[in-house]
Tab-separated table of all heavy atoms in Angstrom:
chain	number	residue	atom	x	y	z
W	1	ARG	N	24.084	-1.996	-1.028
W	1	ARG	CA	23.929	-3.047	-0.007
W	1	ARG	C	22.698	-3.880	-0.314
W	1	ARG	O	21.852	-3.495	-1.116
W	1	ARG	CB	23.803	-2.435	1.386
W	1	ARG	CG	22.555	-1.584	1.595
W	1	ARG	CD	22.594	-0.833	2.911
W	1	ARG	NE	21.423	0.024	3.057
W	1	ARG	CZ	20.410	-0.210	3.892
W	1	ARG	NH1	20.414	-1.283	4.646
W	1	ARG	NH2	19.388	0.626	3.974
W	2	GLN	N	22.622	-5.045	0.319
W	2	GLN	CA	21.427	-5.869	0.233
W	2	GLN	C	20.328	-5.255	1.093
W	2	GLN	O	20.585	-4.832	2.229
W	2	GLN	CB	21.710	-7.291	0.709
W	2	GLN	CG	22.542	-8.134	-0.247
W	2	GLN	CD	21.789	-8.487	-1.516
W	2	GLN	OE1	22.263	-8.234	-2.621
W	2	GLN	NE2	20.610	-9.079	-1.368
W	3	VAL	N	19.130	-5.178	0.553
W	3	VAL	CA	17.999	-4.621	1.281
W	3	VAL	C	16.889	-5.664	1.339
W	3	VAL	O	16.573	-6.303	0.331
W	3	VAL	CB	17.478	-3.332	0.618
W	3	VAL	CG1	16.192	-2.855	1.287
W	3	VAL	CG2	18.535	-2.237	0.685
W	4	SER	N	16.306	-5.821	2.509
W	4	SER	CA	15.186	-6.744	2.685
W	4	SER	C	13.889	-5.951	2.560
W	4	SER	O	13.510	-5.214	3.471
W	4	SER	CB	15.265	-7.428	4.055
W	4	SER	OG	14.218	-8.359	4.206
W	5	TYR	N	13.251	-6.063	1.412
W	5	TYR	CA	12.022	-5.337	1.131
W	5	TYR	C	10.805	-6.175	1.521
W	5	TYR	O	10.794	-7.393	1.350
W	5	TYR	CB	11.902	-5.027	-0.364
W	5	TYR	CG	12.902	-4.043	-0.910
W	5	TYR	CD1	14.106	-4.481	-1.443
W	5	TYR	CD2	12.621	-2.677	-0.929
W	5	TYR	CE1	15.020	-3.583	-1.974
W	5	TYR	CE2	13.525	-1.775	-1.462
W	5	TYR	CZ	14.724	-2.233	-1.981
W	5	TYR	OH	15.625	-1.335	-2.507
W	6	ALA	N	9.768	-5.502	1.975
W	6	ALA	CA	8.492	-6.173	2.196
W	6	ALA	C	7.755	-6.330	0.880
W	6	ALA	O	7.936	-5.542	-0.062
W	6	ALA	CB	7.639	-5.371	3.176
W	7	LEU	N	6.917	-7.356	0.810
W	7	LEU	CA	5.970	-7.540	-0.279
W	7	LEU	C	4.573	-7.429	0.327
W	7	LEU	O	4.201	-8.245	1.178
W	7	LEU	CB	6.153	-8.907	-0.950
W	7	LEU	CG	7.536	-9.196	-1.537
W	7	LEU	CD1	7.575	-10.623	-2.087
W	7	LEU	CD2	7.893	-8.200	-2.630
W	8	CYS	N	3.830	-6.420	-0.091
W	8	CYS	CA	2.493	-6.209	0.488
W	8	CYS	C	1.469	-6.934	-0.377
W	8	CYS	O	0.901	-6.371	-1.310
W	8	CYS	CB	2.183	-4.714	0.575
W	8	CYS	SG	0.676	-4.355	1.491
W	9	ASN	N	1.238	-8.194	-0.028
W	9	ASN	CA	0.423	-9.059	-0.874
W	9	ASN	C	-0.957	-9.361	-0.317
W	9	ASN	O	-1.721	-10.106	-0.929
W	9	ASN	CB	1.144	-10.391	-1.105
W	9	ASN	CG	2.375	-10.233	-1.983
W	9	ASN	OD1	2.595	-9.170	-2.566
W	9	ASN	ND2	3.177	-11.276	-2.072
W	10	ASP	N	-1.297	-8.797	0.856
W	10	ASP	CA	-2.596	-9.129	1.431
W	10	ASP	C	-3.049	-8.033	2.390
W	10	ASP	O	-2.302	-7.109	2.720
W	10	ASP	CB	-2.541	-10.486	2.137
W	10	ASP	CG	-1.436	-10.579	3.175
W	10	ASP	OD1	-1.105	-9.540	3.800
W	10	ASP	OD2	-0.889	-11.677	3.374
W	11	ARG	N	-4.297	-8.179	2.826
W	11	ARG	CA	-4.891	-7.189	3.729
W	11	ARG	C	-4.109	-7.076	5.036
W	11	ARG	O	-3.879	-5.982	5.545
W	11	ARG	CB	-6.339	-7.583	4.026
W	11	ARG	CG	-7.045	-6.627	4.983
W	11	ARG	CD	-8.311	-7.237	5.547
W	11	ARG	NE	-9.067	-6.275	6.358
W	11	ARG	CZ	-9.936	-6.631	7.289
W	11	ARG	NH1	-10.173	-7.921	7.534
W	11	ARG	NH2	-10.576	-5.710	7.994
W	12	ARG	N	-3.710	-8.200	5.592
W	12	ARG	CA	-3.047	-8.190	6.889
W	12	ARG	C	-1.750	-7.373	6.841
W	12	ARG	O	-1.484	-6.557	7.724
W	12	ARG	CB	-2.766	-9.636	7.339
W	12	ARG	CG	-2.187	-9.710	8.739
W	12	ARG	CD	-2.354	-11.070	9.377
W	12	ARG	NE	-1.608	-12.123	8.698
W	12	ARG	CZ	-1.177	-13.228	9.304
W	12	ARG	NH1	-1.414	-13.417	10.598
W	12	ARG	NH2	-0.527	-14.143	8.631
W	13	THR	N	-0.972	-7.559	5.778
W	13	THR	CA	0.273	-6.800	5.650
W	13	THR	C	-0.014	-5.311	5.481
W	13	THR	O	0.665	-4.456	6.062
W	13	THR	CB	1.099	-7.323	4.470
W	13	THR	OG1	1.369	-8.721	4.666
W	13	THR	CG2	2.409	-6.574	4.339
W	14	LEU	N	-1.038	-4.986	4.684
W	14	LEU	CA	-1.390	-3.578	4.482
W	14	LEU	C	-1.824	-2.939	5.794
W	14	LEU	O	-1.432	-1.798	6.104
W	14	LEU	CB	-2.497	-3.471	3.430
W	14	LEU	CG	-2.880	-2.052	3.003
W	14	LEU	CD1	-1.712	-1.333	2.360
W	14	LEU	CD2	-4.070	-2.104	2.034
W	15	LEU	N	-2.623	-3.645	6.592
W	15	LEU	CA	-3.038	-3.117	7.884
W	15	LEU	C	-1.850	-2.931	8.816
W	15	LEU	O	-1.771	-1.947	9.571
W	15	LEU	CB	-4.063	-4.054	8.536
W	15	LEU	CG	-5.462	-4.073	7.906
W	15	LEU	CD1	-6.286	-5.194	8.523
W	15	LEU	CD2	-6.160	-2.728	8.086
W	16	TRP	N	-0.903	-3.859	8.758
W	16	TRP	CA	0.289	-3.723	9.594
W	16	TRP	C	1.059	-2.457	9.206
W	16	TRP	O	1.504	-1.698	10.078
W	16	TRP	CB	1.172	-4.962	9.450
W	16	TRP	CG	2.428	-4.858	10.282
W	16	TRP	CD1	2.539	-5.058	11.624
W	16	TRP	CD2	3.722	-4.493	9.806
W	16	TRP	NE1	3.849	-4.842	12.026
W	16	TRP	CE2	4.584	-4.499	10.934
W	16	TRP	CE3	4.243	-4.182	8.556
W	16	TRP	CZ2	5.945	-4.195	10.836
W	16	TRP	CZ3	5.589	-3.870	8.454
W	16	TRP	CH2	6.428	-3.880	9.580
W	17	PHE	N	1.197	-2.215	7.909
W	17	PHE	CA	1.875	-0.994	7.462
W	17	PHE	C	1.109	0.247	7.930
W	17	PHE	O	1.712	1.235	8.358
W	17	PHE	CB	2.015	-0.977	5.938
W	17	PHE	CG	3.280	-1.595	5.445
W	17	PHE	CD1	3.246	-2.716	4.627
W	17	PHE	CD2	4.505	-1.059	5.778
W	17	PHE	CE1	4.420	-3.288	4.155
W	17	PHE	CE2	5.685	-1.627	5.322
W	17	PHE	CZ	5.656	-2.751	4.505
W	18	GLY	N	-0.219	0.197	7.845
W	18	GLY	CA	-0.999	1.329	8.323
W	18	GLY	C	-0.760	1.588	9.794
W	18	GLY	O	-0.647	2.747	10.224
W	19	ASN	N	-0.660	0.532	10.580
W	19	ASN	CA	-0.404	0.692	12.009
W	19	ASN	C	1.001	1.226	12.268
W	19	ASN	O	1.255	1.823	13.312
W	19	ASN	CB	-0.600	-0.630	12.750
W	19	ASN	CG	-0.677	-0.428	14.245
W	19	ASN	OD1	-1.516	0.331	14.741
W	19	ASN	ND2	0.209	-1.082	14.984
W	20	GLN	N	1.917	1.029	11.310
W	20	GLN	CA	3.265	1.586	11.402
W	20	GLN	C	3.308	3.043	10.930
W	20	GLN	O	4.371	3.622	10.809
W	20	GLN	CB	4.238	0.747	10.560
W	20	GLN	CG	4.380	-0.695	10.999
W	20	GLN	CD	4.880	-0.812	12.413
W	20	GLN	OE1	5.908	-0.260	12.762
W	20	GLN	NE2	4.136	-1.531	13.235
W	21	ARG	N	2.130	3.602	10.639
W	21	ARG	CA	2.009	4.973	10.149
W	21	ARG	C	2.735	5.147	8.810
W	21	ARG	O	3.371	6.166	8.551
W	21	ARG	CB	2.524	5.976	11.179
W	21	ARG	CG	1.802	5.906	12.515
W	21	ARG	CD	2.381	6.851	13.538
W	21	ARG	NE	2.047	8.235	13.237
W	21	ARG	CZ	1.089	8.934	13.852
W	21	ARG	NH1	0.348	8.358	14.789
W	21	ARG	NH2	0.869	10.175	13.527
W	22	ALA	N	2.624	4.118	7.967
W	22	ALA	CA	3.126	4.208	6.593
W	22	ALA	C	2.052	4.888	5.751
W	22	ALA	O	0.990	4.314	5.517
W	22	ALA	CB	3.449	2.828	6.045
W	23	VAL	N	2.324	6.111	5.333
W	23	VAL	CA	1.330	6.889	4.590
W	23	VAL	C	1.467	6.664	3.087
W	23	VAL	O	0.467	6.497	2.383
W	23	VAL	CB	1.473	8.390	4.928
W	23	VAL	CG1	0.481	9.227	4.123
W	23	VAL	CG2	1.257	8.623	6.426
W	24	GLU	N	2.702	6.647	2.576
W	24	GLU	CA	2.915	6.519	1.132
W	24	GLU	C	3.477	5.141	0.788
W	24	GLU	O	4.326	4.601	1.508
W	24	GLU	CB	3.874	7.600	0.632
W	24	GLU	CG	3.361	9.008	0.809
W	24	GLU	CD	4.184	10.033	0.038
W	24	GLU	OE1	5.045	9.639	-0.778
W	24	GLU	OE2	3.970	11.240	0.256
W	25	TYR	N	3.057	4.616	-0.399
W	25	TYR	CA	3.432	3.276	-0.842
W	25	TYR	C	4.077	3.366	-2.229
W	25	TYR	O	3.425	3.732	-3.200
W	25	TYR	CB	2.191	2.369	-0.841
W	25	TYR	CG	1.663	2.195	0.562
W	25	TYR	CD1	0.932	3.214	1.184
W	25	TYR	CD2	1.969	1.062	1.298
W	25	TYR	CE1	0.504	3.088	2.505
W	25	TYR	CE2	1.537	0.929	2.619
W	25	TYR	CZ	0.806	1.946	3.211
W	25	TYR	OH	0.397	1.828	4.511
W	26	HIS	N	5.374	3.026	-2.280
W	26	HIS	CA	6.171	3.185	-3.497
W	26	HIS	C	6.727	1.825	-3.945
W	26	HIS	O	7.812	1.424	-3.510
W	26	HIS	CB	7.332	4.155	-3.247
W	26	HIS	CG	6.909	5.558	-2.929
W	26	HIS	ND1	7.145	6.607	-3.799
W	26	HIS	CD2	6.275	6.091	-1.859
W	26	HIS	CE1	6.672	7.726	-3.258
W	26	HIS	NE2	6.136	7.439	-2.088
W	27	PRO	N	6.014	1.100	-4.793
W	27	PRO	CA	6.528	-0.179	-5.287
W	27	PRO	C	7.525	0.024	-6.429
W	27	PRO	O	7.559	1.079	-7.073
W	27	PRO	CB	5.264	-0.884	-5.791
W	27	PRO	CG	4.380	0.247	-6.237
W	27	PRO	CD	4.651	1.382	-5.284
W	28	THR	N	8.334	-0.998	-6.669
W	28	THR	CA	9.252	-0.974	-7.804
W	28	THR	C	8.477	-1.183	-9.106
W	28	THR	O	7.317	-1.617	-9.111
W	28	THR	CB	10.316	-2.065	-7.674
W	28	THR	OG1	9.660	-3.338	-7.536
W	28	THR	CG2	11.200	-1.827	-6.462
W	29	LEU	N	9.145	-0.878	-10.220
W	29	LEU	CA	8.517	-1.024	-11.534
W	29	LEU	C	8.578	-2.461	-12.032
W	29	LEU	O	7.976	-2.784	-13.062
W	29	LEU	CB	9.205	-0.109	-12.555
W	29	LEU	CG	9.305	1.367	-12.161
W	29	LEU	CD1	9.890	2.177	-13.309
W	29	LEU	CD2	7.949	1.901	-11.753
W	30	ALA	N	9.304	-3.318	-11.325
W	30	ALA	CA	9.405	-4.730	-11.683
W	30	ALA	C	8.995	-5.568	-10.488
W	30	ALA	O	8.973	-5.091	-9.350
W	30	ALA	CB	10.834	-5.071	-12.110
W	31	THR	N	8.678	-6.813	-10.736
W	31	THR	CA	8.299	-7.708	-9.646
W	31	THR	C	9.541	-8.330	-9.008
W	31	THR	O	10.644	-8.284	-9.576
W	31	THR	CB	7.374	-8.823	-10.147
W	31	THR	OG1	8.089	-9.606	-11.111
W	31	THR	CG2	6.113	-8.252	-10.778
W	32	ALA	N	9.353	-8.899	-7.835
W	32	ALA	CA	10.474	-9.502	-7.111
W	32	ALA	C	11.084	-10.667	-7.867
W	32	ALA	O	12.288	-10.928	-7.761
W	32	ALA	CB	10.005	-9.966	-5.731
W	33	THR	N	10.269	-11.380	-8.639
W	33	THR	CA	10.780	-12.551	-9.354
W	33	THR	C	11.522	-12.184	-10.635
W	33	THR	O	12.346	-12.958	-11.112
W	33	THR	CB	9.626	-13.509	-9.708
W	33	THR	OG1	8.620	-12.787	-10.432
W	33	THR	CG2	9.018	-14.096	-8.441
W	34	ARG	N	11.254	-10.992	-11.187
W	34	ARG	CA	11.943	-10.555	-12.410
W	34	ARG	C	12.381	-9.095	-12.260
W	34	ARG	O	11.875	-8.199	-12.932
W	34	ARG	CB	11.044	-10.721	-13.629
W	34	ARG	CG	10.493	-12.120	-13.828
W	34	ARG	CD	10.017	-12.327	-15.254
W	34	ARG	NE	11.131	-12.434	-16.186
W	34	ARG	CZ	10.992	-12.490	-17.522
W	34	ARG	NH1	9.789	-12.428	-18.054
W	34	ARG	NH2	12.041	-12.596	-18.308
W	35	PRO	N	13.329	-8.831	-11.364
W	35	PRO	CA	13.721	-7.449	-11.073
W	35	PRO	C	14.364	-6.720	-12.241
W	35	PRO	O	14.462	-5.493	-12.229
W	35	PRO	CB	14.699	-7.605	-9.905
W	35	PRO	CG	15.208	-9.001	-10.002
W	35	PRO	CD	14.075	-9.799	-10.549
W	36	ASP	N	14.804	-7.472	-13.266
W	36	ASP	CA	15.444	-6.848	-14.431
W	36	ASP	C	14.475	-6.656	-15.590
W	36	ASP	O	14.889	-6.328	-16.701
W	36	ASP	CB	16.628	-7.701	-14.894
W	36	ASP	CG	16.207	-9.114	-15.307
W	36	ASP	OD1	15.115	-9.558	-14.856
W	36	ASP	OD2	16.953	-9.777	-16.053
W	37	ARG	N	13.183	-6.841	-15.340
W	37	ARG	CA	12.183	-6.710	-16.400
W	37	ARG	C	11.030	-5.824	-15.922
W	37	ARG	O	10.047	-6.311	-15.365
W	37	ARG	CB	11.644	-8.090	-16.827
W	37	ARG	CG	12.663	-8.971	-17.547
W	37	ARG	CD	13.008	-8.387	-18.907
W	37	ARG	NE	13.861	-9.260	-19.710
W	37	ARG	CZ	15.193	-9.211	-19.725
W	37	ARG	NH1	15.818	-8.326	-18.960
W	37	ARG	NH2	15.893	-10.013	-20.493
W	38	PRO	N	11.134	-4.510	-16.115
W	38	PRO	CA	10.045	-3.613	-15.698
W	38	PRO	C	8.753	-3.960	-16.425
W	38	PRO	O	8.765	-4.332	-17.604
W	38	PRO	CB	10.536	-2.222	-16.106
W	38	PRO	CG	12.013	-2.377	-16.329
W	38	PRO	CD	12.235	-3.786	-16.760
W	39	THR	N	7.649	-3.840	-15.721
W	39	THR	CA	6.354	-4.118	-16.350
W	39	THR	C	5.773	-2.879	-17.028
W	39	THR	O	4.876	-3.010	-17.858
W	39	THR	CB	5.343	-4.615	-15.299
W	39	THR	OG1	5.232	-3.631	-14.261
W	39	THR	CG2	5.804	-5.942	-14.701
W	40	HIS	N	6.290	-1.700	-16.663
W	40	HIS	CA	5.763	-0.453	-17.216
W	40	HIS	C	6.889	0.534	-17.517
W	40	HIS	O	7.911	0.557	-16.830
W	40	HIS	CB	4.797	0.219	-16.236
W	40	HIS	CG	3.549	-0.547	-15.961
W	40	HIS	ND1	3.525	-1.624	-15.108
W	40	HIS	CD2	2.279	-0.402	-16.439
W	40	HIS	CE1	2.290	-2.119	-15.064
W	40	HIS	NE2	1.517	-1.399	-15.854
W	41	LEU	N	6.661	1.319	-18.541
W	41	LEU	CA	7.460	2.509	-18.818
W	41	LEU	C	6.709	3.682	-18.196
W	41	LEU	O	5.483	3.759	-18.313
W	41	LEU	CB	7.590	2.658	-20.334
W	41	LEU	CG	8.237	3.875	-20.984
W	41	LEU	CD1	8.644	3.526	-22.417
W	41	LEU	CD2	7.329	5.096	-21.002
W	42	ILE	N	7.415	4.587	-17.533
W	42	ILE	CA	6.738	5.666	-16.807
W	42	ILE	C	7.374	7.014	-17.099
W	42	ILE	O	8.602	7.159	-17.073
W	42	ILE	CB	6.780	5.414	-15.285
W	42	ILE	CG1	5.957	4.171	-14.935
W	42	ILE	CG2	6.245	6.614	-14.511
W	42	ILE	CD1	6.070	3.754	-13.507
W	43	LEU	N	6.536	7.999	-17.364
W	43	LEU	CA	6.960	9.396	-17.430
W	43	LEU	C	6.280	10.153	-16.299
W	43	LEU	O	5.065	10.040	-16.107
W	43	LEU	CB	6.612	10.018	-18.780
W	43	LEU	CG	7.580	9.685	-19.925
W	43	LEU	CD1	7.016	10.141	-21.254
W	43	LEU	CD2	8.938	10.330	-19.678
W	44	ASP	N	7.080	10.903	-15.569
W	44	ASP	CA	6.615	11.686	-14.422
W	44	ASP	C	6.628	13.154	-14.831
W	44	ASP	O	7.680	13.701	-15.160
W	44	ASP	CB	7.561	11.435	-13.243
W	44	ASP	CG	7.176	12.197	-11.988
W	44	ASP	OD1	6.130	12.867	-11.991
W	44	ASP	OD2	7.934	12.116	-11.012
């Protein structure tokens, strides 16, 4: 399905997430403008 994701680009948005009791922050490996081009390779 289509998902409407937030972009946390400033202090105000981060504070709003904190007030929502958002403890963990999991961004995608690519940016919103180039979702098919990961910026990093990751091993966990």
Side-chain angles (χ1 to χ4, degrees):
R1 65 189 177 108
Q2 287 291 126
V3 173
S4 182
Y5 292 92
L7 302 176
C8 188
N9 291 350
D10 54 32
R11 179 196 186 203
R12 185 160 65 153
T13 302
L14 186 62
L15 288 171
W16 179 78
F17 270 118
N19 194 56
Q20 298 300 306
R21 301 177 73 102
V23 178
E24 297 193 9
Y25 296 77
H26 296 248
T28 56
L29 307 185
T31 62
T33 54
R34 305 199 72 187
D36 60 338
R37 292 292 187 268
T39 57
H40 295 78
L41 173 161
I42 294 173
L43 280 170
D44 180 4

